[in-house]
Amino acid sequence: VDKLDLNACLLARIFRRDIKEWTHPDIVAFNPELADVPVDEDMSIIVAHRVRGSSSTSSITNYLNVACPDEWSDDLVGSRITWPDDTKGCEGSGGMTDCINNDPNVIGYIDAGHGIAEGLSEIELENKDGTLLSSQEASARGGIAAAEQGALPDSVEADFSGVSLLNRPGEYTWPIVLMTYVYVRQDMTYFDDAAEASLTVAFLEA
């Protein structure tokens, strides 16, 4: 097929091995073209996951729990979880890339930048507003920045511990968006050169 459409609950059921075939009726309902796959073709799903604690594992498991808690429970959230025995462990982002490339039936997770750079195929994921899109389409339509609308505190001095950009509303919002934090001293008098201090502030405000 040219593309694969999924929602959070289907993805959760695939990852916890409730769904094991790409031609499962619930996947075909989202992807009617799969109904035309020859019956003798191997359509077994292979789930790839990171073998060590990773931010990508934390991200995908948190997202599934937020977007479909009935299918992905709290005990399956974290940077390292217990995966079903019949899943495939992969070492690091490079290992995940190899796992996905080595078998057309594999589904895994990796940060979008790395996956796009490696030429990996993306699913189209249904967001909170019901739009099916890839991360690249979301980015092109402003759907990455849209995730932060109304989600961030008004001040950089506020508490950011409860901030989550997962499964946010918006027609083109990508549902799995993370934040990167940059920590700097507020008192910049330690700079010997005032110009360096000004450039640092300009960089942070850009």
Side-chain angles (χ1 to χ4, degrees):
V1 297
D2 293 331
K3 66 184 183 71
L4 181 69
D5 296 337
L6 295 175
N7 61 23
C9 291
L10 284 173
L11 189 58
R13 292 174 63 195
I14 289 169
F15 278 170
R16 66 180 178 80
R17 305 299 284 150
D18 177 55
I19 293 177
K20 296 187 176 184
E21 298 282 335
W22 289 119
T23 50
H24 187 284
D26 293 345
I27 295 181
V28 173
F30 244 59
N31 302 270
E33 63 274 20
L34 285 172
D36 298 327
V37 172
V39 294
D40 59 344
E41 187 168 338
D42 180 16
M43 296 297 286
S44 301
I45 299 174
I46 301 170
V47 173
H49 63 85
R50 295 282 291 271
V51 294
R52 301 183 187 278
S54 74
S55 59
S56 56
T57 300
S58 178
S59 303
I60 191 68
T61 58
N62 269 286
Y63 162 69
L64 294 174
N65 179 250
V66 168
C68 192
D70 289 345
E71 297 292 349
W72 199 268
S73 55
D74 292 347
D75 61 306
L76 293 175
V77 175
S79 61
R80 178 181 292 182
I81 67 168
T82 300
W83 293 89
D85 291 338
D86 60 345
T87 56
K88 184 180 182 66
C90 311
E91 183 76 46
S93 296
M96 179 63 78
T97 298
D98 291 341
C99 285
I100 294 172
N101 274 329
N102 289 341
D103 194 311
N105 286 343
V106 168
I107 184 170
Y109 54 89
I110 194 170
D111 69 272
H114 194 114
I116 292 167
E118 294 291 341
L120 300 178
S121 298
E122 283 190 82
I123 65 168
E124 294 205 354
L125 186 60
E126 185 179 62
N127 68 12
K128 191 170 186 175
D129 279 26
T131 306
L132 284 161
L133 74 173
S134 68
S135 69
Q136 294 182 80
E137 182 182 356
S139 179
R141 292 177 176 268
I144 306 299
E148 71 178 49
Q149 298 301 314
L152 303 181
D154 294 331
S155 170
V156 294
E157 297 180 2
D159 181 6
F160 278 68
S161 62
V163 172
S164 173
L165 303 184
L166 299 173
N167 203 40
R168 299 284 298 166
E171 183 178 3
Y172 299 112
T173 300
W174 181 244
I176 313 176
V177 177
L178 304 181
M179 286 188 65
T180 298
Y181 292 90
V182 177
Y183 294 89
V184 296
R185 297 181 188 178
Q186 288 183 306
D187 179 3
M188 294 204 167
T189 58
Y190 64 90
F191 278 103
D192 294 328
D193 185 341
E196 288 185 9
S198 297
L199 284 172
T200 300
V201 172
F203 169 76
L204 293 172
E205 292 178 342

